[in-house]
């Protein structure tokens, strides 16, 4: 199966944190953003909001450091990296290892949790009113930016030709 | 810090040290390092057959078994590691699942650590038990005992190094991601270990203050402290230059929130006090001062682990840099 990824358009995000809410409801049944797998990082002074989700990295540090193989890759399911809560011992090594500040320690379940793409239908994508988060094929993730860059280049070439 | 008022993005999330591993892990790292270090020194004393005084209480009777305590003050290291290891388990979210890590030894350094510590504890306690159990069938004088002794010695070295490797293996924290950290923890394990052996042998009368053995031991301990100081300097200076987060970590230790831990805990208690007090105790031939110096050095060893653990700041994520650029551009326009 082709790999799909979550793409965040930070320019569109308003910082409403609805994604956090629906994520926690979907995964835990509680509307508690502190148990969400997505976190909106806010820089209020600068007016910048950035929803942070797991990148399911190709070379995932969390998989490398997990002592029980609880954190593993599932190539058959969008090549996602998931944590098996039945194997997780709650050592939090993956949290320290992840450069994106990702897996979170669920204080109630006493294990580490992370984004699992909601089994192929990410709720953060479905409920984001401004469409700041999208779930697209990995090879098309940068398509919009590539188109924009190509258009700019075409304009420059036109100008150069006179 | 100057950057904080200029760059609010940086100040908000950037310089926050890791919050996942706290004091419990520091206690674990300390007891494992100190216990392993003391066993290394103890077994070296045992091998070199340094002349030891008979103890004032040479044996005790337990359940009718006469336990010989002659070597106990130099071989108790595995007990410290046995006390320290449960602290790692205490820090786990679901404690009983630590068995899962033991069953997957090749997955990561946390799992390998369980194995290294377990082997050291088993063989170390075996050597310790052999030293005080009176049973003839153990053949305590047999040359074959050298095999478990060498295994315990190698795994004691492994345990002392592993405490640094555990932090280094996480990769995302520039302060920890260096070969100098296992070396620093090894040097600290040997200095605290040799000091704890000095205290236990002096306290029990196994070595007298003026004996040749004690002089060798104290010289070795002082060399370990000097090496530890040099490695600490190299560690901090290299980490300062390694990356922005490495620099922030070192700043946090030296001038930031952790400055009291660093200057009073690590430098004063771990280096200056012991060196000065040991020198004065030598001059006045006062063993009481040596005890104070020893306790000070042992406390400093704990603060070293605590400081290094609390100063760990993660690498900057790429998005963070993007946010900084966007913020700077907003300010320009």
């Amino acid at each position: 199966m082709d790999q799909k990824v979550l793409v965040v358009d930070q320019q569109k995000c308003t910082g409403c944190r609805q994604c956090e809410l629906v994520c926690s409801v979907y995964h835990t049944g509680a509307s508690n953003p502190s148990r969400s797998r997505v976190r909106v990082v806010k820089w209020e002074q600068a007016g910048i909001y950035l929803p942070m989700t797991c990148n399911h990295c190709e070379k995932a540090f969390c998989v490398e450091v997990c002592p029980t193989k609880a954190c593993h890759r599932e190539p058959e399911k969008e090549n996602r990296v998931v944590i098996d809560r039945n194997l997780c011992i709650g050592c939090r090594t993956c949290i320290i290892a992840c450069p994106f500040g990702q897996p979170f320690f669920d204080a109630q379940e006493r294990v580490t949790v992370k984004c699992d793409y909601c089994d192929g239908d990410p709720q953060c994508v479905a409920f984001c009113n401004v469409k700041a988060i999208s779930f697209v094929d990995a090879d098309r993730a940068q398509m919009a930016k590539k188109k924009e860059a190509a258009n700019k280049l075409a304009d420059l070439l036109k100008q150069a030709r006179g | 810090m100057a950057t904080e008022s200029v760059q609010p993005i940086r100040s908000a999330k950037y310089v926050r040290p890791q919050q996942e591993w706290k004091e419990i892990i520091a206690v674990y790292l300390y007891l494992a390092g100190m216990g392993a270090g003391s066993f290394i020194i103890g077994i070296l004393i045992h091998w070199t057959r340094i002349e030891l005084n008979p103890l004032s209480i040479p044996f005790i009777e337990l359940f009718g078994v006469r336990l010989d305590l002659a070597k106990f003050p130099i071989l108790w290291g595995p007990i410290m590691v046995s006390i320290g290891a449960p602290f790692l388990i205490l820090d786990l979210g679901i404690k009983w699942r630590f068995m899962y890590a033991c069953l997957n030894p090749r997955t990561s350094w946390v799992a390998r650590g369980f194995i290294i510590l377990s082997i050291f504890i088993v063989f170390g306690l075996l050597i310790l038990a052999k030293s005080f159990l009176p049973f003839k069938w153990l053949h305590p004088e047999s040359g074959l005992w050298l095999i478990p002794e060498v295994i315990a010695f190698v795994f004691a070295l492994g345990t002392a190094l592993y405490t640094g490797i555990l932090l280094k293996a996480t990769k995302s924290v520039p302060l920890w991601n260096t070969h100098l950290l296992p070396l620093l923890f090894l040097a600290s394990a040997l200095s605290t270990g040799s000091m704890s052996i000095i205290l236990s042998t002096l306290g029990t009368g196994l070595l007298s203050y003026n004996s040749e053995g004690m002089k060798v031991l104290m010289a070795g301990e002082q060399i370990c402290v000097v090496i530890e100081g040099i490695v600490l300097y190299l560690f901090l200076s290299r980490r300062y230059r390694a990356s922005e987060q490495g620099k922030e970590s070192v700043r946090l230790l030296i001038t930031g929130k952790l400055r009291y831990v660093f200057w009073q805990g690590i430098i004063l208690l771990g280096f200056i006090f012991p060196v000065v007090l040991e020198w004065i105790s030598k001059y006045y031939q006062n063993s009481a001062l040596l005890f104070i110096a020893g306790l000070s050095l042992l406390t400093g060893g704990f603060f070293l682990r605590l400081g290094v653990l609390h100063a760990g700041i993660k690498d900057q994520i790429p998005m963070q840099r993007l946010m900084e650029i966007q913020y700077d551009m907003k300010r320009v326009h």
Side-chain angles (χ1 to χ4, degrees):
Chain A
M1 185 181 279
D2 290 337
Q3 187 176 355
K4 290 184 95 173
V5 291
L6 282 172
V7 175
V8 173
D9 187 345
Q10 170 266 324
Q11 305 276 14
K12 286 183 183 171
C13 181
T14 58
C16 69
R17 298 177 69 189
Q18 183 142 305
C19 49
E20 289 184 4
L21 213 60
V22 293
C23 181
S24 76
V25 169
Y26 180 83
H27 286 102
T28 69
S31 58
N32 180 357
S34 71
R35 297 183 70 188
S36 165
R37 277 73 168 151
V38 53
R39 294 282 160 90
V40 179
V41 183
K42 292 186 170 194
W43 290 279
E44 296 284 9
Q45 262 181 297
I48 292 173
Y49 309 102
L50 178 67
M52 293 283 293
T53 65
C54 173
N55 288 307
H56 301 264
C57 310
E58 211 163 324
K59 186 178 184 294
F61 284 178
C62 53
V63 174
E64 279 182 25
V65 299
C66 182
T68 62
K69 293 182 185 166
C71 194
H72 63 281
R73 189 177 291 283
E74 289 184 341
E76 70 281 4
K77 289 185 178 174
E78 284 105 15
N79 207 23
R80 65 182 185 172
V81 174
V82 288
I83 295 176
D84 183 343
R85 70 177 64 192
N86 295 318
L87 283 179
C88 180
I89 59 174
C91 67
R92 286 159 290 160
T93 316
C94 51
I95 302 177
I96 295 176
C98 177
F100 298 98
Q102 262 311 298
F104 303 105
F105 186 70
D106 189 322
Q108 286 188 28
E109 292 189 40
R110 310 294 300 163
V111 292
T112 310
V113 294
K114 68 183 285 301
C115 169
D116 57 1
Y117 291 149
C118 302
D119 287 324
D121 181 22
Q123 297 300 294
C124 51
V125 175
F127 281 85
C128 182
N129 291 328
V130 291
K131 302 295 168 209
I133 312 177
S134 47
F135 192 48
V136 297
D137 291 334
D139 56 348
R140 297 182 63 83
Q142 298 294 321
M143 200 53 83
K145 282 180 185 169
K146 280 178 189 166
K147 267 186 189 169
E148 200 180 319
N151 286 336
K152 274 185 189 170
L153 186 66
D155 288 345
L156 281 171
L157 284 172
K158 273 180 197 168
Q159 281 173 15
R161 280 178 191 163
Chain B
M1 263 165 270
T3 49
E4 289 188 20
S5 57
V6 179
Q7 180 52 279
I9 289 176
R10 202 168 281 189
S11 68
K13 300 281 171 190
Y14 196 44
V15 294
R16 204 172 61 183
Q18 63 85 21
Q19 300 287 317
E20 305 305 326
W21 287 348
K22 295 180 184 169
E23 289 77 9
I24 289 182
I25 297 291
V27 172
Y28 159 70
L29 296 177
Y30 173 67
L31 290 177
M34 194 259 277
S38 69
F39 185 81
I40 291 168
I41 304 296
I43 203 85
L44 286 176
I45 294 174
H46 172 65
W47 282 342
T48 48
R49 299 190 189 280
I50 288 176
E51 202 176 318
L52 303 169
N53 297 332
L55 291 171
S56 53
I57 306 168
F59 63 87
I60 53 168
E61 286 221 4
L62 202 67
F63 305 115
V65 180
R66 191 177 155 128
L67 304 178
D68 178 9
L69 300 179
K71 288 282 173 72
F72 197 88
I74 58 170
L75 294 175
W76 50 265
I79 295 177
M80 278 295 143
V81 183
S82 314
I83 295 169
F87 279 88
L88 183 63
I89 297 167
L90 269 181
D91 193 58
L92 298 180
I94 300 174
K95 283 134 188 81
W96 65 267
R97 286 191 185 170
F98 80 93
M99 286 301 295
Y100 291 178
C102 302
L103 296 173
N104 294 286
R106 283 188 295 177
T107 50
S108 73
W109 275 105
V110 173
R112 282 176 208 123
F114 275 115
I115 303 299
I116 293 171
L117 260 73
S118 304
I119 294 176
F120 170 61
I121 289 170
V122 168
F123 279 89
L125 289 179
L126 183 72
I127 304 299
L128 180 65
K130 186 264 288 188
S131 80
F132 65 73
L133 288 174
F135 306 126
K136 284 268 184 330
W137 51 266
L138 280 173
H139 297 290
E141 299 306 320
S142 166
L144 284 175
W145 275 105
L146 192 64
I147 298 168
E149 281 173 9
V150 170
I151 294 172
F153 178 78
V154 169
F155 278 90
L157 264 177
T159 301
L161 278 170
Y162 160 73
T163 54
I165 294 173
L166 173 69
L167 301 190
K168 183 191 175 301
T170 53
K171 290 182 185 171
S172 292
V173 179
L175 182 73
W176 302 345
N177 194 8
T178 166
H179 295 298
L180 285 170
L181 187 61
L183 270 184
L184 176 65
F185 280 5
L186 174 66
S188 173
L190 290 176
S191 68
T192 52
S194 52
M195 184 48 100
S196 60
I197 291 288
I198 289 173
L199 295 188
S200 63
T201 51
L202 204 61
T204 53
L206 203 63
L207 282 172
S208 55
Y209 187 72
N210 290 315
S211 66
E212 278 305 307
M214 182 56 76
K215 280 176 189 161
V216 172
L217 209 50
M218 279 177 68
E221 178 265 326
Q222 281 158 0
I223 291 168
C224 286
V225 171
V226 171
I227 292 173
E228 187 188 344
I230 293 168
V231 178
L232 179 64
Y233 169 75
L234 289 174
F235 168 71
L236 292 176
S237 58
R238 297 239 171 127
R239 291 299 89 197
Y240 189 80
R241 290 195 295 266
S243 71
E244 198 136 0
Q245 280 67 36
K247 188 181 279 185
E248 292 295 347
S249 291
V250 176
R251 275 188 192 160
L252 195 66
L253 268 175
I254 295 175
T255 57
K257 244 172 38 181
L258 295 170
R259 62 187 182 277
Y260 296 114
V261 172
F262 182 76
W263 291 110
Q264 294 176 7
I266 301 173
I267 301 298
L268 206 63
L269 289 176
F271 291 96
I272 297 174
F273 261 16
V275 170
V276 172
L277 286 177
E278 270 180 63
W279 186 77
I280 298 173
S281 86
K282 245 186 208 170
Y283 190 78
Y284 290 106
Q285 297 288 304
N286 186 338
S287 60
L289 277 177
L290 189 60
F291 271 101
I292 299 170
L295 291 177
S296 169
L297 190 136
L298 293 182
T299 316
F302 171 72
F303 280 117
L304 176 72
R305 271 81 170 181
L306 191 72
V308 169
L309 211 55
H310 277 287
I313 296 172
K314 274 193 183 183
D315 256 328
Q316 182 190 35
I317 57 173
M319 282 81 131
Q320 194 104 33
R321 186 78 198 122
L322 179 72
M323 293 297 111
E324 281 177 23
I325 293 167
Q326 283 192 356
Y327 177 74
D328 289 339
M329 284 173 76
K330 267 189 184 179
R331 272 161 47 102
V332 170
H333 294 296

